[in-house]
């Protein structure tokens, strides 16, 4: 299981990703985790930088689709302000809901990347479905109650990966 979570790409945060590097990877769709990847889990409206991120990706021909294990009640109001598509209650790392979305929207794995802050949910989902993945650092030290357990496993793994240069190619600017 540990080897399965080694990532091909990493970035300090989704806001530090060089979008041109994604273009070079032929990415057309970026599935971006919501809580602690693109926004703090307790933020109810997007920050200015989130709007700028969506515009930057869109200007380069990449559509952002927000992806979350959280409920529609949490995800829909936040994402509706951004004007992007979204998936809620994904149940990462299970692939069923994401796979169905890809098929229904004629999106291929080759033109997609998943960007997230957790090894046990985001990275494992991408590996399970064989999608490119970029691991980011959490943007906040605050986590939802349910995420705190994953962090107990995530932190030491990240430390080991960093030490052994296993986090992959940096997509930072």
């Amino acid at each position: 299981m540990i080897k399965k979570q080694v990532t091909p790409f990493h970035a300090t945060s989704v806001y530090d990703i060089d979008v041109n590097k994604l273009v070079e990877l032929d990415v057309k769709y970026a599935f971006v985790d919501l809580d602690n990847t693109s926004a703090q889990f307790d933020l109810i409206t997007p920050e200015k930088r989130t709007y700028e991120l969506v515009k930057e990706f869109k200007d380069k021909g990449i559509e952002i689709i927000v992806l979350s294990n959280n409920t529609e009640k949490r995800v829909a109001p936040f994402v509706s302000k951004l004007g992007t598509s979204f998936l809620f209650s994904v149940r990462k790392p299970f692939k069923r809901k994401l796979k169905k979305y890809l098929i229904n929207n004629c999106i291929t794995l080759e033109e997609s990347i998943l960007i997230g802050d957790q090894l046990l949910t985001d990275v494992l989902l991408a590996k399970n479905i064989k999608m490119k993945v970029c691991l980011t650092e959490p943007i906040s030290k605050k986590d939802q109650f349910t995420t705190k357990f994953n962090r107990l496993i995530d932190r030491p793994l990240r430390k080991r990966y960093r030490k052994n240069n296993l986090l992959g190619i940096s997509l930072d600017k």
Side-chain angles (χ1 to χ4, degrees):
M1 182 163 154
I2 292 173
K3 194 152 184 86
K4 197 170 192 178
Q5 279 131 355
V6 177
T7 62
F9 305 106
H10 75 279
T12 306
S13 89
V14 69
Y15 299 102
D16 294 318
I17 291 175
D18 182 346
V19 183
N20 292 318
K21 290 180 181 177
L22 294 180
V23 171
E24 288 172 18
L25 293 169
D26 296 322
V27 171
K28 304 274 186 279
Y29 300 93
F31 290 86
V32 180
D33 177 48
L34 176 57
D35 294 322
N36 247 346
T37 299
S38 51
Q40 290 179 322
F41 82 91
D42 54 356
L43 216 68
I44 56 172
T45 57
E47 298 172 292
K48 181 182 176 191
R49 69 182 181 164
T50 311
Y51 289 103
E52 291 168 354
L53 178 80
V54 170
K55 183 182 180 335
E56 182 182 10
F57 274 59
K58 190 179 234 178
D59 288 349
K60 295 288 184 175
I62 300 172
E63 182 182 338
I64 287 182
I65 298 140
V66 176
L67 164 87
S68 180
N69 275 352
N70 220 319
T71 64
E72 185 176 18
K73 183 179 175 184
R74 156 70 175 128
V75 181
F78 185 93
V79 176
S80 68
K81 294 172 177 76
L82 295 172
T84 64
S85 301
F86 65 92
L87 285 152
F88 63 92
S89 300
V90 175
R91 292 182 173 78
K92 298 176 283 184
F94 301 108
K95 61 185 177 181
R96 188 173 149 252
K97 195 160 186 177
L98 178 56
K99 192 173 185 176
K100 184 177 178 183
Y101 184 88
L102 292 168
I103 291 166
N104 289 344
N105 292 282
C106 300
I107 298 172
T108 67
L109 294 170
E110 294 77 26
E111 62 188 358
S112 306
I113 191 166
L114 193 149
I115 303 169
D117 68 305
Q118 289 189 62
L119 289 164
L120 298 178
T121 57
D122 304 311
V123 172
L124 194 53
L125 167 60
K127 294 289 186 172
N128 284 341
I129 204 165
K130 295 179 177 41
M131 180 185 285
K132 291 183 281 278
V133 61
C134 177
L135 178 67
T136 66
E137 296 299 318
I139 61 172
S140 171
K141 292 200 184 291
K142 291 190 320 184
D143 269 318
Q144 286 178 295
F145 178 75
T146 54
T147 306
K148 289 181 181 187
F149 297 108
N150 284 350
R151 296 284 182 212
L152 294 173
I153 298 167
D154 192 271
R155 278 189 211 101
L157 281 176
R158 277 178 196 263
K159 187 175 178 180
R160 185 179 334 154
Y161 291 167
R162 213 173 277 113
K163 180 181 172 187
N164 295 317
N165 258 351
L166 295 173
L167 287 179
I169 299 165
S170 172
L171 294 180
D172 282 342
K173 295 176 184 170

